Amino acid sequence: MTISVRRSTTAESGPVERFRHVRSLTDLLADRLSAEDQTPQSMTEASPAKWHRAHVTWFFEEFVLRRDPSYVVYDETYRYLFNSYYEAVGERHPRPERGLVTRPGIDDITDYRHNVDTAMEAALTAGSLDDDALDLVELGCNHEQQHQELLLMDIKHLFSTVPLTPGPVYVDRELDVGASPAPMTWRAVPGGISHVGATGTAFAYDYEGPQHRVLLEDFEIASRAVTNADWLAFMADDGYRRPELWLSDGWAHIGQTGWQAPGYWSRDAAGEWSAFSLSGRRPVVADEPVVHVSFYEADAYARWAGARLPTEFEWEAATSEVETERGELLDPARCHPRAAGTAMIGDVWEWTASAYLPYPGFVPANGAVGEYNGKFMCDQHVLRGASAITPRGHERATYRNFFPAASRWAFSGLRLAR
């Protein structure tokens, strides 16, 4: 079996070190959570932290270790409990019921991780894995980095539902003071034939390729992401109550949900806005990028601002001048964006106007691993960049994140184009 990924040549010095580095970060992120924190599921779209820890371990056991007939499976029931959506692997526990699984407990999951880590490191050290298996190891490391971000997204949502003041804190940090946001300017990007998609020797998911040509018209892109100050102006101008700004589905969703502000925002009796963060509820900081907005909200804001969202192809072409710049990426001591700057990668994922569709020539891999990305190319929108909880080294200009239009528990924001 061959899968269309490329092994990283830049992250660490070798596959054993790379594997250990990724696995240890998951352990670090989970160590702050109690058994009670790791077990519940706050909504169907989210998963318990315990499940994330087990699922990424299942991935290595299922797709790498089981290739060796001499490998002794840790627990056959885990194949059912911790499969996510791989139909070719077999039956799996229903996603909405993941939070009802109290056993195995977090100590059992720790033992499972240790058992699989020991077997994986032995295989990597012995050099017994062929190129296909090493490709799967690299895919598994990147898969685990995705779940590190998901774990933090899901814990933030879970903690936000606790009916206490103050609520739970995942990471304690100093209060951000903030300042007036830098003026937003426009950067001209010439049109023409642009090459889009991943190429070369660095790792990329299959859906980031094949590289292909697109024809772009001249356009301009904003120098920074939309900030909280910008969004407060939109709200003050009745942005959530003006149907002419909204797509039909978005306006219907507003009617159903009653949204009046970004996710996790609330207003006190004095009229001051605050936002729940992984450091608890904090005042909204004017110069930070707005975060936890849906595609519907991003599209409405762009229309209100007299602009639009960039296509994912425009977004990728526009990164060429700033591709080496980075905003905030995952710092376990912070887990929150900083002031909006000129970097297009970091702080918040940025919604684009593009539907998540295959590139010309895209072919999913054979077998269960081919279900990783391709089968989700329906009713999803592409986000580009990275966020303040994206693990460092997992970000790149060709990365295509994707979520349904109403989703906003991801660290999602926007940048304007025109």
Side-chain angles (χ1 to χ4, degrees), residues 246-256 296 405-406:
W246 294 80
L247 296 170
S248 177
D249 284 351
W251 185 247
H253 198 78
I254 289 292
Q256 294 164 6
Y296 294 141

Side-chain angles (χ1 to χ4, degrees), residues 149-189:
E149 181 158 1
L150 287 167
L151 186 153
L152 293 172
M153 287 165 48
D154 295 351
I155 281 295
K156 182 173 183 177
H157 188 269
L158 175 66
F159 280 8
S160 75
T161 66
V162 176
L164 296 175
T165 303
V169 170
Y170 175 78
V171 54
D172 196 11
R173 59 180 171 86
E174 294 295 321
L175 190 68
D176 290 321
V177 177
S180 298
M184 191 184 74
T185 59
W186 296 92
R187 177 161 56 90
V189 182

Side-chain angles (χ1 to χ4, degrees), residues 197-390:
T199 186
T201 59
F203 173 87
Y205 288 117
D206 54 2
Y207 68 171
E208 296 176 56
Q211 189 179 81
H212 61 289
R213 296 172 298 168
V214 295
L215 176 62
L216 301 178
E217 300 295 335
D218 296 346
F219 69 98
E220 293 180 320
I221 196 157
S223 59
R224 58 161 173 81
V226 171
T227 63
N228 289 327
D230 298 329
W231 203 269
L232 285 166
F234 169 69
M235 292 162 58
D237 198 30
D238 286 340
Y240 279 91
R241 294 186 290 273
R242 293 170 55 181
E244 72 272 17
L245 299 176
W246 294 80
L247 296 170
S248 177
D249 284 351
W251 185 247
H253 198 78
I254 289 292
Q256 294 164 6
T257 61
W259 286 349
Q260 300 179 31
Y264 301 116
W265 283 34
S266 65
R267 197 173 192 178
D268 63 20
E272 297 298 318
W273 287 98
S274 65
F276 186 82
S277 73
L278 283 164
S279 300
R281 185 156 293 282
R282 299 291 182 90
V284 167
V285 178
D287 61 354
E288 291 177 359
V290 69
V291 62
H292 299 299
V293 294
S294 66
F295 171 80
Y296 294 141
E297 291 164 288
D299 180 81
Y301 177 91
R303 193 170 291 109
W304 171 81
R308 59 177 175 81
L309 299 178
T311 68
E312 66 167 317
F313 309 124
E314 289 174 329
W315 190 99
E316 187 171 326
T319 63
S320 60
E321 291 185 18
V322 295
E323 187 170 354
T324 60
E325 295 185 28
R326 294 291 183 271
E328 185 74 2
L329 296 169
L330 175 58
D331 174 359
R334 181 173 175 83
C335 299
H336 190 74
R338 295 189 187 272
T342 57
M344 295 180 66
I345 299 176
D347 290 319
V348 292
W349 290 101
E350 298 180 359
W351 286 106
T352 73
S354 298
Y356 174 52
L357 295 171
Y359 285 169
F362 170 78
V363 179
N366 294 325
V369 77
E371 300 181 56
Y372 193 84
N373 291 310
K375 71 180 186 179
F376 298 108
M377 293 175 173
C378 178
D379 293 339
Q380 310 261 6
H381 286 266
V382 174
L383 302 94
R384 290 300 198 102
S387 84
I389 58 168
T390 301

